[in-house]
């Protein structure tokens, strides 16, 4: 398991909890513009993304040869009316999915982590790359949350 840093993957939950600590409902749901995301919507997106990569990884491990599914993140967030949801619920689901996936990751060998599938863009992606990419993706959204927090201070 030297190819992936499972602790960094798991630590994304703690980082998100810290990022939203102390934010009231108004700041959690504040949007700079109608087509931008709130902090709550970012959290919903990350929970959705965790669901999607969970499926992709399991599909690769199952030996499925179909292209790995993409998802329209903006449509998912809008369609589920994420800003009307509870940020704590999205964080809880995110943390539970991380834990559930980490149990799987601990069972995988280096050979398993090299298994690959073809993403929606036609690129070959290894499980190890998916895990590293997911952690990087969360870190990008941590920056987004910080920018939203700073912009919402004036409310």
């Amino acid at each position: 398991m030297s190819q992936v840093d499972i602790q960094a993957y798991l630590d994304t939950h703690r980082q998100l909890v810290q990022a939203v600590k102390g934010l009231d409902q108004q700041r959690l749901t504040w949007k700079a513009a109608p087509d931008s995301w709130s902090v709550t919507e970012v959290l919903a997106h990350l929970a959705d993304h965790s669901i999607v990569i969970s499926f992709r990884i399991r599909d690769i491990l199952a030996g499925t040869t179909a292209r790995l599914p993409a998802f329209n993140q903006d449509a998912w967030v809008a369609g589920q009316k994420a800003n009307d949801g509870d940020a704590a619920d999205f964080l809880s689901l995110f943390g539970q999915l991380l834990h559930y996936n980490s149990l799987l990751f601990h069972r995988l060998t280096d050979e398993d982590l090299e298994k690959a599938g073809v993403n929606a863009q036609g690129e070959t992606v290894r499980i190890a790359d998916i895990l590293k990419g997911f952690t990087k993706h969360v870190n990008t959204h941590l920056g987004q949350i910080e920018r939203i927090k700073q912009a919402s201070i004036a409310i």
Side-chain angles (χ1 to χ4, degrees):
M1 288 299 295
S2 59
Q3 296 180 43
V4 276
D5 186 348
I6 295 173
Q7 192 53 51
Y9 169 83
L10 288 170
D11 196 43
T12 58
H13 181 257
R14 181 197 58 77
Q15 292 172 303
L16 287 168
V17 168
Q18 279 300 116
V20 302
K21 187 176 182 177
L23 295 181
D24 62 18
Q25 187 66 17
Q26 185 178 13
R27 287 191 68 202
L28 286 167
T29 59
W30 180 85
K31 296 169 67 133
D35 63 342
S36 65
W37 283 354
S38 69
V39 170
T40 297
E41 289 171 324
V42 171
L43 297 173
H45 162 68
L46 290 172
D48 290 343
H49 193 213
S50 190
I51 291 168
V52 171
I53 71 146
S54 297
F55 176 86
R56 289 174 181 164
I57 289 166
R58 284 159 178 82
D59 216 34
I60 291 169
L61 291 170
T64 305
T65 58
R67 281 204 177 181
L68 301 171
F71 73 110
N72 183 331
Q73 63 186 21
D74 292 317
W76 279 39
V77 166
Q80 66 182 299
K81 298 178 173 73
N83 214 32
D84 296 334
D86 188 323
D89 291 338
F90 295 129
L91 269 174
S92 176
L93 173 61
F94 182 83
Q96 291 168 18
L97 287 166
L98 292 182
H99 174 72
Y100 179 64
N101 285 333
S102 74
L103 298 173
L104 168 63
F105 302 153
H106 285 295
R107 297 189 302 265
L108 299 181
T109 64
D110 284 344
E111 183 179 290
D112 292 327
L113 293 171
E114 287 298 317
K115 291 180 179 178
V118 177
N119 68 17
Q121 293 80 31
E123 304 161 333
T124 300
V125 290
R126 300 173 312 133
I127 291 174
D129 297 329
I130 291 170
L131 293 175
K132 289 176 191 174
F134 180 81
T135 302
K136 183 178 177 184
H137 184 79
V138 173
N139 285 317
T140 297
H141 283 295
L142 282 163
Q144 180 184 17
I145 289 169
E146 189 56 37
R147 289 187 299 277
I148 295 167
K149 285 169 44 177
Q150 291 304 312
S152 71
I153 288 175
I155 64 168

